[in-house]
Amino acid sequence: MKNNATRPIGIFDSGLGGLTVAKAIHLMLPNEEIIYFGDTAHLPYGDKSKDTIVQYSARITKFLVEEQCKVIVIACNSASSNAYEEVVKQAGSNIHVLNVIDPVVNYIVETDYKKIGVIGTKSTIDTNTYFNKIHKKKKGVYVLSMATPLLVPMIEEGFIFDDISNAIIRTYLSRREISGIDTLILGCTHYPIIKNQINKFYNFDVDIIDTGKIIAESLRLLLDKESIRNTSTKRGVKNFYVSDLTRYFKLIARMFFEEEIELEKLNLWK
Ligand code: DGL
């Protein structure tokens, strides 16, 4: 096995939205080798049952363990809220696991926000993970959660800054369920793409949490604490695998990673 610091960081998502997290990690830790796996054959996870998400996540974890990753980042809120314990179990004691929810919760509880909104997929919101984790660490704050399932297909179809996206964003965010909030957690790795439109909807009166940066920072702290940060001066190799590959996936990968990347098809379920 390679020494701990030079082992890769494994990142996985139901598809390509997790590339927003991979990008933030790449920007903060450019020398780290990254192995990204997007389960495009099975997406979306956002409307799947816990059992199914656990099963898919366990198989991907097995692959990332075989690749000798030093850390596995679950770059998907639906998998983080439904399959974190299973991923930790599968990863074993030699691999650290970071989900995308805990770093954001730790950040939020250190702030003065009183009415915290959370939007995400149905499978994330149904678990009440953000609500439970925030309330466990901090009393006296409101956590208002709402599933916004149309946002993922809307973004993937390229409706980002137009009449359709503005109407969908306005309709969701005007609902009573999350009214009067002072901050909004984007509890889905697709949503950073529409952060500007959400800011515009709120006239910049509501703070939108930049989750990618918070997760990358938390990974950096973990690598330093465990003394497993790659100190090489060379840029780390990045490999991007997907369980299904179409021309369309290539296009949306570019949108999420903000640069051209090579996707390689790897069907772990064959
Ligand atoms: N990546 C998923 C998440 O962050 C959204 C896409 C899906 O539903 O698979 O929850």
Side-chain angles (χ1 to χ4, degrees):
M1 190 180 269
K2 288 180 176 177
N3 89 44
N4 279 341
T6 54
R7 286 161 59 196
I9 292 169
I11 304 176
F12 83 88
D13 177 36
S14 57
L16 299 163
L19 288 172
T20 57
V21 178
K23 179 73 185 190
I25 291 172
H26 164 66
L27 289 176
M28 194 168 291
L29 300 159
N31 305 333
E32 297 292 340
E33 187 181 327
I34 288 179
I35 297 181
Y36 180 93
F37 188 88
D39 193 7
T40 46
H42 297 126
L43 65 80
Y45 283 9
D47 57 11
K48 300 280 189 305
S49 68
K50 183 178 183 73
D51 279 358
T52 301
I53 297 172
V54 165
Q55 200 190 314
Y56 292 151
S57 303
R59 179 64 191 94
I60 299 166
T61 303
K62 184 167 177 279
F63 163 67
L64 296 173
V65 170
E66 285 160 3
E67 292 296 308
Q68 302 186 0
C69 293
K70 57 184 173 186
V71 181
I72 293 176
V73 180
I74 312 175
C76 171
N77 280 268
S78 306
S80 291
S81 51
N82 284 281
Y84 174 60
E85 286 76 14
E86 181 64 25
V87 173
V88 170
K89 202 168 101 193
Q90 291 276 331
S93 54
N94 197 24
I95 301 175
H96 303 272
V97 179
L98 198 65
N99 64 56
V100 284
I101 298 178
D102 286 323
V104 174
V105 168
N106 292 339
Y107 170 86
I108 279 288
V109 297
E110 292 300 323
T111 63
D112 292 329
Y113 297 124
K114 293 273 178 293
K115 243 180 154 185
I116 303 151
V118 185
I119 53 173
T121 65
K122 290 186 218 164
S123 68
T124 296
I125 299 302
D126 281 358
T127 60
N128 272 327
T129 308
Y130 280 98
F131 181 95
N132 293 335
K133 284 184 185 254
I134 293 172
H135 278 139
K136 205 167 160 192
K137 296 197 168 206
K138 194 170 185 176
K139 305 283 169 242
V141 292
Y142 291 95
V143 180
L144 309 176
S145 317
M146 185 176 72
T148 48
L150 278 182
L151 296 184
V152 165
M154 177 193 95
I155 293 166
E156 295 206 339
E157 287 303 323
F159 296 112
I160 309 290
F161 215 149
D162 53 26
D163 292 349
I164 292 178
S165 54
N166 286 336
I168 294 175
I169 290 168
R170 189 179 60 244
T171 306
Y172 274 140
L173 299 183
S174 305
R175 286 191 181 160
R176 187 119 45 92
E177 287 142 272
I178 58 161
S179 68
I181 55 174
D182 47 20
T183 184
L184 181 67
I185 297 174
L186 304 182
C188 172
T189 49
H190 275 64
Y191 299 173
I193 301 288
I194 50 166
K195 188 177 168 191
N196 290 343
Q197 291 76 336
I198 294 177
N199 262 325
K200 202 171 151 233
F201 167 80
Y202 285 120
N203 270 326
F204 295 85
D205 285 339
V206 169
D207 289 341
I208 314 297
I209 303 299
D210 192 343
T211 47
K213 219 162 153 194
I214 293 171
I215 294 149
E217 175 64 9
S218 159
L219 174 62
R220 190 183 66 76
L221 290 173
L222 172 73
L223 297 179
D224 285 344
K225 183 170 141 264
E226 300 293 330
S227 306
I228 52 171
R229 183 156 167 191
N230 193 334
T231 49
S232 147
T233 47
K234 280 201 298 209
R235 281 169 89 79
V237 177
K238 316 269 181 273
N239 288 300
F240 300 93
Y241 297 105
V242 284
S243 47
D244 195 12
L245 183 57
T246 62
R247 184 179 66 84
Y248 160 78
F249 287 139
K250 287 185 190 166
L251 289 176
I252 53 179
R254 205 199 173 292
M255 168 169 78
F256 286 118
F257 202 74
E258 294 170 345
E259 62 184 88
E260 209 69 61
I261 54 173
E262 200 66 50
L263 295 178
E264 193 177 322
K265 183 171 170 182
L266 177 67
N267 187 350
L268 301 175
W269 285 268
K270 250 205 327 226

